[in-house]
Amino acid sequence: MNARIHAYLNGELQSSDLTSEELHEAQRLESHIATLRQEAGGFSAARLESAVMNRIAALPQPQPVESGLLRLAGVIRWFARPRYVSLTLRPVYAALAALLLLAVGWQLSAGSSESSLAVTDSQPQIFVRFEVMAPEAESVSLAGTFTGWAPTVSLQKLPTGLWTALVALPPGVHDYAFRVDENTWVTDPAAPRVADGFGGFNSQLSLIVASS
């Protein structure tokens, strides 16, 4: 398949732009593409790939490797593209997209049992409401061992001046502290205090899941 036939299949040339030999070759390829489209209704991704490869292998007059790759890319692109949409994707991108879809389908099928196991073995999450009274504060955030000590959890202010946030945490012992107005660190008056190793204190929370 030369560049002119390839451009015709891409919709970049009209049939009148081709020689009679080129038009005959293009029509032959379009016939194979139409057959593949009809057969693809019930195909899985793996069967689709097999059908495309078998059709390409069955075409007469084998071409050099480079031409064969271009033909495969063109067939996949035409097979996947709705006829009523004018696409500008180049065949190399279409081929990569088709291979990616096939790989994703295989991974989803092969990894279904692993996904179920991961859900089963995951740690339970316990929702904890953190609260601190700071009526004069402009902002309050929360940091702890569960955030790598980055104050990434923002608390919301209630009309009473109480700041609160609901956080999902795994079972275990967690140290934490509140950062008020970006520069002041305070502990939770409702929780035990532990030394932070720098002459100050943090609050500590222990979460335990009761066994049934």
Side-chain angles (χ1 to χ4, degrees):
M1 181 171 63
N2 61 32
R4 291 165 54 79
I5 296 176
H6 188 248
Y8 169 76
L9 291 177
N10 285 343
E12 299 169 0
L13 290 179
Q14 302 296 322
S15 59
S16 58
D17 296 324
L18 304 179
T19 66
S20 58
E21 293 79 5
E22 290 171 336
L23 183 59
H24 176 73
E25 175 67 10
Q27 289 173 343
R28 186 170 65 89
L29 289 175
E30 286 184 318
S31 176
H32 285 289
I33 292 170
T35 301
L36 284 174
R37 292 174 61 118
Q38 293 175 356
E39 295 176 354
F43 274 24
S44 65
R47 293 181 59 198
L48 172 58
E49 179 188 34
S50 177
V52 171
M53 296 301 296
N54 290 338
R55 286 287 180 177
I56 295 301
L59 291 177
Q61 299 178 354
Q63 300 295 322
V65 174
E66 181 179 359
S67 177
L69 291 176
L70 288 176
R71 176 176 294 180
L72 173 60
V75 169
I76 293 177
R77 179 180 182 275
W78 269 69
F79 182 82
R81 184 181 69 178
R83 294 298 294 174
Y84 55 85
V85 178
S86 177
L87 298 179
T88 58
L89 288 177
R90 295 301 178 188
V92 63
Y93 298 136
L96 290 174
L99 292 176
L100 178 60
L101 289 175
L102 293 173
V104 169
W106 179 82
Q107 289 289 346
L108 289 177
S109 176
S112 59
S113 60
E114 295 179 4
S115 298
S116 300
L117 181 59
V119 171
T120 302
D121 293 342
S122 62
Q123 283 189 319
Q125 296 292 298
I126 302 174
F127 286 91
V128 178
R129 182 172 298 281
F130 292 89
E131 297 179 345
V132 62
M133 180 63 71
E136 304 300 327
E138 295 294 330
S139 66
V140 177
S141 54
L142 173 68
T145 52
F146 46 87
T147 67
W149 287 107
T152 56
V153 180
S154 298
L155 279 71
Q156 299 298 317
K157 187 178 184 179
L158 302 180
T160 58
L162 183 70
W163 293 79
T164 179
L166 188 65
V167 181
L169 297 176
V173 178
H174 306 282
D175 292 353
Y176 65 97
F178 298 106
R179 189 178 71 168
V180 178
D181 290 339
E182 307 295 329
N183 53 21
T184 302
W185 291 89
V186 300
T187 58
D188 187 344
R193 295 199 309 169
V194 294
D196 62 5
F198 300 98
F201 294 92
N202 293 322
S203 299
Q204 190 171 84
L205 174 68
S206 298
L207 300 178
I208 301 175
V209 177
S211 59
S212 57

